[in-house]
Amino acid sequence: MSAELCKCTGCAEATEEELLNQLDDVLEEYVGTPGALIPVLQIAQTLFGYLPEPALKKIALALGKPFSEVAGVVSFYSFFSTVPRGKHLVRVCLGTACYVRGGKEVLSALKQALNVEVGETTSDRLFSLDIGRCFGACGLAPVIMIDDDVHQRVKPTQLGKILDGYRTEEEAAQKAKAAEENDYGFRY
Amino acid sequence: MPKLTINNVPVDVPEGETILHAARQAGVRIPTMCHVEGLHPIGACRVCIVEVEGARNLVSSCAMPAAEGMKVRTNSRRVREARKTVVELLLSEHNGECQTCDRSEDCELQALAAELGIREISYAGEKTKRRIDASTPALLRDNGKCIKCRRCVSVCGETQMVGALFPQNRGFETVIGPAFNRDLDDVACVQCGQCAAVCPVGAITERDQIDEVYKALDNPNLHVIVQTAPAIRAALGECFGHPPGTLVTGKMVAALRRLGFAAVFDTNFAADLTILEEGTELLTRLKQALVEKKDVALPMFTSCSPGWIKFMEYFHPDMLPNLSTCKSPQQMFGAVAKTYYANKLGKKPEQIVVVSVMPCTAKKFECSRPEMSDSGARDVDIVLTTRELGKMIHAAGIQFDCLPDEKMDAPLGLSTGAADIFANTGGVMVAALRSAYEIVTGRPLPGDNLHVRPIEGLKGVKEASLKVEKVKPEWKFLEGATLNVAVANGLANARQVIEQIKSGAKQYHFVEVMTCPGGCIGGGGQPRYTDNSVRQARIDAIYREDEGKELRKSHENPAVAKLYEEFLGQPLGEKSHHLLHTDYMPREKV
Ligand code: SF4
Ligand code: SF4
Ligand code: SF4
Ligand code: FES
């Protein structure tokens, strides 16, 4: 495995402090550039995976923007997130068909199973929970999507099993990584 | 000069003027909502739409410049219907209860609905979620009533350059407020209340403390006294239907007596006291700089305006040493009332309740600062805005117009004209110059009837230079010196002055800053709606009050002289230092 790939899977994770320093370098380039706010936010989101508050404050200070404006822009665009995203995004359809055929119950069961509210991420950063408005699979309602997988006609009782599938997958990946490390003895 | 017609009436307007202004010139009213005089149009509400011949869509008249040959119709069927729809949509989302709303008497949304003759709302929309923010001592926010006009955003960002408020989220979820829907107390807000002053509805207003005042008045063990800021007398009349600029000093005193206050005193007394302390402080700093060659912070900034103080603490903490250490007149009054006056009565500070009537919401914050308790108790207990006092008088059934003119009580109700003008931008500076010049030279301030015209009036930043000659021997170091002063009103203007000082572009000795446009007469707690014509009318009234006084220089106030003689000793003396001066703390701006 190349060092490049290794970075992406997040093994040698940079600390928030290191990332903030990297953000400083980015900001230095953009200071005084009009219209810099959105591009800088995009870079920051790529850097951190989400937009943590210390980063937003730094951005506000460096670009001389009120914090309220930075927050306003971040909360305006749905592609910005201020909470760390989990590895898997779980979306529950609350379109009309799903809603009447148990989508609501599925959502509350998921909240319970994951112990998070909508828009939050589990403490192990494995799952983020969100809602959707129709995935175009109304005949199969209620529907949830986990990443790109559609799970149809889900019942609250099946959710444990579905989630476990992703957990096992994760464990396997971890093991494979560990094995790989053993092979090479060290990582870049 | 584009020529156009508004409803067939021809008008010429200066280049760049909006259709809205052209219509005003033609004597046609176009209703507006998001528009704030003097600020950039944001075109957020579309209440001001008009029809322009040849244009496909209706245009927002507050934002669209008038152009040569335009044919504008403000009252066609199409305009009427579209405008009605816009307002009906606002009403359908509006989560309000007029009967119990703070704004029921002067609500612009209600008035607009009435003006357009809206009798039913044809849209059954979802109501904006109600969320009350009572986190600060000064302001109360109710998101349910917010119609998202963004006037508050414009004022906070453009007039004050504080930027505490901004639209958050999008679509129906949009909330106008601090970052990430936080409470106002969690962000850099200076509590000036200019947002509350421009809000057309009951979405931002002052924290109502009328009940607290009644509670104190009803307690027989408490001696409840009241002080009124100089700006109240030029605005309170508006609460009773008088035109802006009506002076109601005597009736205000009579009304306060009838409300049951044990003594009716004047913040003006403390304003005169402030001049003696602050003037001495300025002369001391100049002496330290010029004679002792000490490294003292100059220019010195005035410190009467609590929003300005908080602004410096957030945005220019490096310049806190430049702020005069003088407490504001409100706080000096409290500290003197609960010591000097309490001693006279044989009472302890905690047996006295000091109520202030202020044009300002930030005063509610100021009196709650923990350090403002040098008398041994909290120096000022409760602050009412001018609006709250108006409401109290109404509710008490006092017929304001039938009241006789009465006088303030002695000794803390005696004052000079120099104190009156603390209400106006430039007034503190002029008052200081009246005394400092005379103390240094032995002659009255030269010029026009004790005025310094270049630093009076509504301009955002004003300057003056004063040559000091033929000084008294003890002030020899000032002989031939030129004193450079500046005056700023509105915090964006103050920021500009600070930047020029920091860059070295300007050198001043003394700078007056008032947080609100026009000074205290334009404060966030004054009767609504305050625009420049209202500001000017109040300013003129205050100068009339000053000119009508026999004594017009703070150092001539006999009651203040007696206070020094009997109690304080001398300006900047030990007791003054303890009771009348304070220090400041840096705050994080994000
Ligand atoms: S803001 Fe105006 S319309 Fe809304 S409840 Fe208050 S008075 Fe009524
Ligand atoms: S009180 Fe002043 S600083 Fe605070 S939000 Fe309102 S306008 Fe802005
Ligand atoms: S709080 Fe008032 S001024 Fe601000 S957007 Fe809402 S209605 Fe307009
Ligand atoms: S007043 Fe013109 S768009 Fe709001």
Side-chain angles (χ1 to χ4, degrees):
Chain A
M1 184 186 261
S2 74
E4 198 66 70
L5 253 175
C6 190
K7 246 193 219 159
C8 309
T9 51
C11 39
E13 253 182 56
T15 63
E16 184 167 293
E17 206 184 310
E18 284 162 3
L19 291 172
L20 284 171
N21 288 337
Q22 289 182 34
L23 178 62
D24 277 336
D25 297 339
V26 173
L27 284 168
E28 220 162 273
E29 268 175 57
Y30 278 90
V31 163
T33 322
L37 182 56
I38 291 181
V40 166
L41 287 171
Q42 279 167 323
I43 295 171
Q45 173 138 313
T46 321
L47 212 55
F48 293 84
Y50 71 112
L51 292 168
E53 186 149 329
L56 293 177
K57 289 188 165 168
K58 233 180 216 304
I59 292 170
L61 287 174
L63 302 183
K65 296 259 178 210
F67 187 52
S68 66
E69 184 177 337
V70 174
V73 169
V74 167
S75 59
F76 185 85
Y77 293 105
S78 55
F79 50 81
F80 289 131
S81 170
T82 52
V83 284
R85 283 286 181 183
K87 193 148 194 235
H88 304 289
L89 176 62
V90 182
R91 290 190 298 158
V92 182
C93 178
L94 289 185
T96 319
C98 288
Y99 189 87
V100 299
R101 283 160 72 180
K104 209 173 104 193
E105 287 72 28
V106 170
L107 178 62
S108 51
L110 267 171
K111 282 191 198 168
Q112 220 172 9
L114 297 173
N115 194 21
V116 293
E117 288 298 315
V118 171
E120 291 180 354
T121 298
T122 53
S123 53
D124 59 5
R125 295 227 184 156
L126 207 48
F127 298 105
S128 293
L129 181 60
D130 221 329
I131 51 173
R133 302 254 175 231
C134 195
F135 304 142
C138 305
L140 310 169
V143 172
I144 69 172
M145 274 187 86
I146 302 186
D147 304 329
D148 294 326
D149 312 336
V150 179
H151 298 265
Q152 33 182 281
R153 295 211 175 95
V154 278
K155 296 201 182 68
T157 47
Q158 301 169 334
L159 289 169
K161 215 170 115 203
I162 297 177
L163 294 173
D164 279 344
Y166 291 86
R167 291 194 178 110
T168 338
E169 207 177 275
E170 180 65 13
E171 262 170 44
Q174 293 278 347
K175 270 196 200 134
K177 205 156 93 186
E180 213 172 274
E181 274 165 30
N182 284 341
D183 276 355
Y184 295 101
F186 63 89
R187 291 188 295 157
Y188 291 107
Chain B
M1 290 268 287
K3 285 191 195 6
L4 65 161
T5 65
I6 311 270
N7 303 343
N8 298 323
V9 178
V11 269
D12 291 13
V13 293
E15 200 67 53
E17 278 294 8
T18 58
I19 297 177
L20 179 66
H21 276 101
R24 277 187 195 157
Q25 214 172 299
V28 173
R29 174 180 148 80
I30 301 173
T32 58
M33 198 45 96
C34 64
H35 177 73
V36 186
E37 171 195 272
L39 300 185
H40 287 103
I42 51 169
C45 75
R46 292 193 55 82
V47 166
C48 67
I49 41 177
V50 295
E51 199 170 348
V52 175
E53 203 176 283
R56 213 154 51 90
N57 295 320
L58 299 176
V59 303
S60 299
S61 63
C62 70
M64 174 71 82
E68 183 63 38
M70 254 184 185
K71 292 198 169 101
V72 178
R73 305 198 54 87
T74 70
N75 191 31
S76 61
R77 170 171 293 277
R78 190 172 163 215
V79 170
R80 276 197 310 272
E81 276 170 6
R83 187 176 287 147
K84 230 172 168 168
T85 305
V86 167
V87 176
E88 276 185 54
L89 285 170
L90 288 180
L91 289 169
S92 75
E93 287 186 7
H94 182 66
N95 192 350
E97 278 289 342
C98 300
Q99 295 91 329
T100 51
C101 180
D102 177 66
R103 293 304 294 276
S104 52
E105 285 201 352
D106 66 347
C107 173
E108 292 185 43
L109 182 60
Q110 243 189 42
L112 184 58
E115 180 180 343
L116 302 188
I118 294 175
R119 287 288 166 261
E120 62 178 344
I121 299 160
S122 3
Y123 307 91
E126 205 180 318
K127 297 277 177 201
T128 309
K129 248 203 255 98
R130 183 154 194 240
R131 182 168 164 266
I132 303 286
D133 173 3
S135 61
T136 62
L139 297 164
L140 188 74
R141 298 171 53 243
D142 177 352
N143 262 324
K145 287 182 186 159
C146 172
I147 57 169
K148 298 168 192 163
C149 71
R150 310 187 186 189
R151 282 190 198 171
C152 56
V153 176
S154 300
V155 161
C156 190
E158 219 177 308
T159 310
Q160 303 298 54
M161 276 179 92
V162 171
L165 307 172
F166 203 81
Q168 307 293 314
N169 311 330
R170 74 187 298 169
F172 180 73
E173 303 293 322
T174 304
V175 171
I176 311 297
F180 298 120
N181 304 333
R182 292 205 178 128
D183 283 343
L184 206 49
D185 194 36
D186 292 338
V187 302
C189 153
V190 306
Q191 303 273 285
C192 65
Q194 283 301 310
C195 50
V198 295
C199 181
V201 291
I204 314 183
T205 193
E206 66 271 45
R207 292 278 297 275
D208 183 331
Q209 293 186 283
I210 294 175
D211 275 350
E212 286 170 52
V213 174
Y214 270 123
K215 222 181 251 165
L217 287 171
D218 290 344
N219 185 336
N221 300 319
L222 296 173
H223 182 81
V224 187
I225 62 175
V226 64
Q227 58 166 326
T228 56
I232 314 301
R233 58 210 72 186
L236 182 65
E238 291 163 45
C239 299
F240 304 95
H242 292 285
T246 310
L247 280 171
V248 294
T249 320
K251 293 198 188 331
M252 171 183 78
V253 174
L256 289 166
R257 276 212 186 96
R258 277 151 191 73
L259 284 172
F261 289 100
V264 180
F265 289 144
D266 208 342
T267 313
N268 278 15
F269 170 87
D272 280 332
L273 180 59
T274 302
I275 288 299
L276 294 191
E277 292 290 329
E278 198 159 326
T280 311
E281 185 185 359
L282 176 67
L283 292 173
T284 308
R285 287 197 196 204
L286 289 175
K287 188 167 184 189
Q288 285 169 341
L290 296 173
V291 181
E292 297 159 26
K293 306 280 176 219
K294 277 199 200 149
D295 194 16
V296 292
L298 282 171
M300 187 172 91
F301 291 119
T302 57
S303 56
C304 305
S305 184
W308 154 243
I309 297 294
K310 206 167 182 233
F311 178 82
M312 288 293 276
E313 291 177 329
Y314 281 125
F315 298 100
H316 296 281
D318 53 320
M319 289 189 93
L320 291 178
N322 293 66
L323 285 171
S324 159
T325 59
C326 285
K327 288 181 185 171
S328 72
Q330 144 163 298
Q331 294 303 138
M332 286 202 186
F333 179 93
V336 169
K338 292 202 177 184
T339 53
Y340 174 66
Y341 174 70
N343 291 345
K344 280 187 184 284
L345 296 184
K347 289 195 184 289
K348 295 200 184 73
E350 49 286 1
Q351 293 171 300
I352 294 188
V353 174
V354 174
V355 176
S356 311
V357 185
M358 294 284 140
C360 176
T361 54
K363 292 280 168 192
K364 288 180 188 265
F365 159 77
E366 181 186 49
C367 79
S368 73
R369 291 180 72 123
E371 67 274 21
M372 293 296 171
S373 51
D374 289 325
S375 65
R378 188 162 140 164
D379 295 334
V380 172
D381 297 277
I382 308 168
V383 175
L384 298 178
T385 61
T386 317
R387 295 189 292 258
E388 285 171 277
L389 177 60
K391 283 183 186 157
M392 239 182 128
I393 295 172
H394 270 300
I398 295 168
Q399 297 294 300
F400 193 76
D401 289 340
C402 303
L403 291 170
D405 286 337
E406 293 184 5
K407 292 230 169 319
M408 303 261 184
D409 290 306
L412 307 185
L414 302 177
S415 66
T416 72
D420 285 307
I421 61 175
F422 265 60
N424 293 348
T425 168
V428 174
M429 183 60 75
V430 173
L433 292 178
R434 283 183 191 174
S435 286
Y437 188 87
E438 190 160 324
I439 287 167
V440 169
T441 66
R443 301 183 305 278
L445 184 68
D448 176 8
N449 191 17
L450 294 178
H451 285 287
V452 184
R453 299 289 182 201
I455 51 172
E456 296 175 2
L458 284 172
K459 212 170 138 225
V461 179
K462 295 161 285 185
E463 296 176 322
S465 295
L466 188 67
K467 188 136 195 204
V468 192
E469 282 171 316
K470 290 192 247 148
V471 299
K472 288 190 182 167
E474 62 268 39
W475 300 105
K476 225 178 67 205
F477 68 95
L478 287 174
E479 183 61 48
T482 301
L483 192 66
N484 294 321
V485 302
V487 171
N489 64 108
L491 293 174
N493 293 321
R495 198 186 275 262
Q496 183 195 325
V497 170
I498 290 176
E499 272 157 20
Q500 287 181 324
I501 292 168
K502 281 190 174 168
S503 74
K506 295 280 181 182
Q507 270 132 15
Y508 303 115
H509 300 101
F510 193 23
V511 178
E512 176 208 283
V513 176
M514 293 194 192
T515 306
C516 294
C520 310
I521 51 92
Q526 292 282 57
R528 299 174 174 107
Y529 185 85
T530 301
D531 60 14
N532 271 346
S533 69
V534 173
R535 288 186 188 101
Q536 192 59 54
R538 293 180 190 152
I539 285 177
D540 295 342
I542 289 289
Y543 285 128
R544 285 200 303 279
E545 184 88 340
D546 163 40
E547 285 157 12
K549 289 244 168 102
E550 213 169 297
L551 299 176
R552 295 179 61 206
K553 300 163 202 157
S554 297
H555 61 279
E556 291 176 349
N557 183 327
V560 170
K562 206 158 160 215
L563 168 68
Y564 278 112
E565 201 183 293
E566 292 180 358
F567 184 67
L568 288 175
Q570 59 190 31
L572 296 192
E574 203 192 311
K575 221 171 207 151
S576 290
H577 184 79
H578 171 62
L579 289 175
L580 309 182
H581 292 256
T582 186
D583 41 34
Y584 310 106
M585 55 180 249
R587 298 172 195 262
E588 298 262 330
K589 68 176 161 187
V590 290

